[in-house]
Amino acid sequence: LSKQTSNCEVIYVVDDPSIANSVMKLAHEMETVSLQPFSVIQLSKNVGYGRANNIGVEHAAADMIALINSDILPKSKDWLEKLLEVAKREDAGIVGSRLLFEDESIQHDGMAPMTISEYPGLLFNDHPKKGWPKSLAPYEEEVSSCPLITAACWVMQKKLYKELNGFAPEYILGDFEDSDLCLRMLELGKTNYIRRDVELYHLERQSQNLVQPGRWKHNITILNAVHFNKKWKTTLAAMKKVNA
């Protein structure tokens, strides 16, 4: 980040007490070599993705915020400047970018509702074009409206985030709360955008993989999906019909 950003307030939220000491040791080492000012917020327990972001935003002083997963790596120096340019539009809500795997294939190019045969009646988040080579996914416009965007990298006005009370606390660990906030932003009358000429690497779910795997993670995803569908089933069905 110190190579890719300037005039930014960087806040790291650490909600895993087991790595707190090693994070602070690294922070003190980085303080002596990095020109980028940063702060570290240590939480006493893992509060989940949404609440951790909400806490970070509470401590942010700027009018514009960028929510960035710990497994996101910028490719160019102007990535944030370009996303801020769109986020400052009067009609703009959430602004995201194209995300890539380390082999340059597409990880995220916007999201859309999808069905899964094992769970009839529920709509999940699909990532169209995921895994495609970029050569098979050209785009006509650098900036396009995109209702659903993964929260791995978001830029928006802080006042909009606050108006919507940030991420809803009922989603556990890290599923569907980004889609939920995207839909609430649309209800607010704003347009969510994706800027495809901005690319960042996303080492997908590497931060979540620090948590022990098991059936319980799958069950939490289904629980989140049930809540998400109860709240947005009509909206999602209409969106799926348009994308069909």
Side-chain angles (χ1 to χ4, degrees), residues 10 13 48 56 58 69 94-95 117 119 169 187 190 198 229:
V10 176
V13 181
E58 282 291 335
N69 279 17
I94 296 167
V95 180
S117 58
Y119 299 98
E187 281 193 333
K190 298 297 182 179
V198 175
N229 278 260

Side-chain angles (χ1 to χ4, degrees), residues 4 73-79 100 104 134 199-201:
Q4 307 287 5
L73 301 172
K75 285 188 66 177
S76 62
K77 291 184 177 181
D78 61 353
W79 70 276
L100 307 175
E104 298 286 328
K134 287 192 297 180
E199 298 177 343
L200 300 95
Y201 293 111

Side-chain angles (χ1 to χ4, degrees), residues 5-238:
T5 61
S6 61
N7 300 320
C8 293
E9 174 193 23
V10 176
I11 300 174
Y12 295 100
V13 181
V14 183
D15 71 339
D16 182 354
S18 69
I19 65 171
N21 289 337
S22 58
V23 168
M24 291 308 299
K25 180 177 183 295
L26 180 59
H28 287 303
E29 293 172 356
M30 290 302 299
E31 184 182 16
T32 64
V33 298
S34 174
L35 298 177
Q36 172 67 58
F38 64 92
S39 303
V40 178
I41 299 174
Q42 284 192 142
L43 305 183
S44 60
K45 61 181 180 180
N46 191 311
V47 297
Y49 179 83
R51 191 175 173 199
N53 276 278
N54 290 347
I55 292 171
V57 173
E58 282 291 335
H59 288 78
D63 294 331
M64 307 296 295
I65 58 171
L67 306 182
I68 309 170
N69 279 17
S70 57
D71 50 9
I72 289 285
L73 301 172
K75 285 188 66 177
S76 62
K77 291 184 177 181
D78 61 353
W79 70 276
L80 185 55
E81 179 183 335
K82 287 184 174 181
L83 295 180
L84 285 170
E85 180 183 295
V86 181
K88 290 177 181 178
R89 294 181 182 180
E90 185 65 28
D91 69 325
I94 296 167
V95 180
S97 68
R98 177 173 274 190
L99 303 178
L100 307 175
F101 290 113
E102 56 267 40
D103 65 358
E104 298 286 328
S105 63
I106 293 174
Q107 188 275 325
H108 169 264
D109 199 48
M111 297 192 297
M114 72 171 182
T115 55
I116 297 178
S117 58
E118 293 88 339
Y119 299 98
L122 291 180
L123 288 168
F124 293 80
N125 289 325
D126 184 25
H127 286 253
K129 302 178 184 177
K130 183 174 182 177
W132 288 25
K134 287 192 297 180
S135 60
L136 297 182
Y139 53 86
E140 295 181 1
E141 298 179 333
E142 293 177 346
V143 180
S144 304
S145 63
C146 186
L148 301 178
I149 304 169
T150 181
C153 180
W154 275 2
V155 174
M156 74 185 82
Q157 299 179 51
K158 182 181 177 181
K159 66 179 182 181
L160 294 177
Y161 191 91
K162 298 289 289 181
E163 185 173 350
L164 294 171
N165 294 317
F167 287 110
E170 59 265 29
Y171 296 99
I172 306 170
L173 190 61
D175 278 304
F176 298 100
E177 68 274 85
D178 50 1
S179 300
D180 179 275
L181 188 48
C182 283
L183 293 173
R184 285 188 283 134
M185 189 68 77
L186 297 179
E187 281 193 333
L188 201 61
K190 298 297 182 179
T191 301
N192 299 327
Y193 288 103
I194 186 169
R195 183 153 188 171
R196 290 188 169 92
D197 64 327
V198 175
E199 298 177 343
L200 300 95
Y201 293 111
H202 184 199
L203 310 181
E204 187 181 27
R205 290 188 177 268
Q206 291 301 303
S207 55
Q208 280 198 18
N209 286 344
L210 295 175
V211 182
Q212 284 189 343
R215 182 72 184 180
W216 67 273
K217 287 180 68 177
H218 174 80
N219 293 340
I220 284 175
T221 297
I222 302 306
L223 179 65
N224 287 337
V226 170
H227 175 76
F228 180 65
N229 278 260
K230 283 183 178 179
K231 191 174 181 180
W232 297 108
K233 188 64 176 285
T234 302
T235 303
L236 293 169

